[in-house]
Amino acid sequence: MSLSQICGGVIGFALVGLVGCTTVEQPTPPPLERIAISDFNSVAGDWEGLVKRSPPTRSRYDDWVHLKIQPDGAFHFEAYRTIGVFRTTGVFTLEDGMLLANSEKGKITAQLYRHAGKNDRVVRAEGTSRDGITYHADLTPSRRR
């Protein structure tokens, strides 16, 4: 093996190492545009996503949630936690183009969005429990069958 082949191999290995260590930036998604909810049919269906808690705790991780909204506003909610599944049901009301639900455990507001220039939909839900903890989730149409 010649000196130029050895040097080329060392330089090539170093470049691969440098490229492998660089971070790849994810493209920023387009901004969300709010869509007023005029009736329950516009959001009826299955939605899912990750719900985040604020303030966060070390003992609790974010939960994967599934929300099924019926055409009459009734909903079924499931949060999948490490200790099991939390389930609840209720009925949304419509006010100012968004969904609202209140119970003895807290309240939920949900608004419909889409990414600018696209037809994908996102339900942005925010909840506040009676003990002051807030929850936030961006839910997309479920891939469940």
Side-chain angles (χ1 to χ4, degrees):
M1 202 182 283
S2 71
L3 182 59
S4 63
Q5 288 174 325
I6 293 172
C7 288
V10 169
I11 291 171
F13 181 74
L15 287 175
V16 169
L18 286 175
V19 171
C21 293
T22 61
T23 59
V24 176
E25 290 188 30
Q26 297 294 325
T28 304
L32 291 174
E33 299 173 338
R34 185 169 182 243
I35 302 169
I37 302 170
S38 58
D39 58 41
F40 296 115
N41 282 324
S42 63
V43 290
D46 294 317
W47 300 86
E48 64 185 0
L50 194 64
V51 67
K52 296 183 179 258
R53 170 190 161 119
S54 181
T57 65
R58 286 190 226 181
S59 62
R60 282 280 323 273
Y61 297 99
D62 301 331
D63 299 324
W64 188 257
V65 299
H66 179 254
L67 173 65
K68 183 175 185 80
I69 303 173
Q70 300 293 333
D72 64 356
F75 68 86
H76 179 84
F77 174 86
E78 294 178 338
Y80 302 95
R81 300 175 170 172
T82 54
I83 59 171
V85 178
F86 169 77
R87 292 182 175 96
T88 191
T89 59
V91 178
F92 282 119
T93 59
L94 280 172
E95 187 176 312
D96 297 327
M98 66 181 148
L99 302 174
L100 301 172
N102 286 299
S103 74
E104 69 281 351
K105 294 187 179 194
K107 73 176 194 171
I108 299 171
T109 61
Q111 298 182 55
L112 183 62
Y113 292 87
R114 71 176 176 173
H115 287 101
K118 296 187 173 190
N119 287 328
D120 59 346
R121 300 179 307 151
V122 175
V123 169
R124 180 165 280 174
E126 295 187 19
T128 305
S129 64
R130 294 284 181 225
D131 57 2
I133 297 171
T134 59
Y135 298 88
H136 170 82
D138 283 347
L139 308 175
T140 56
S142 177
R143 295 186 180 139
R144 288 183 180 195
R145 298 276 178 211

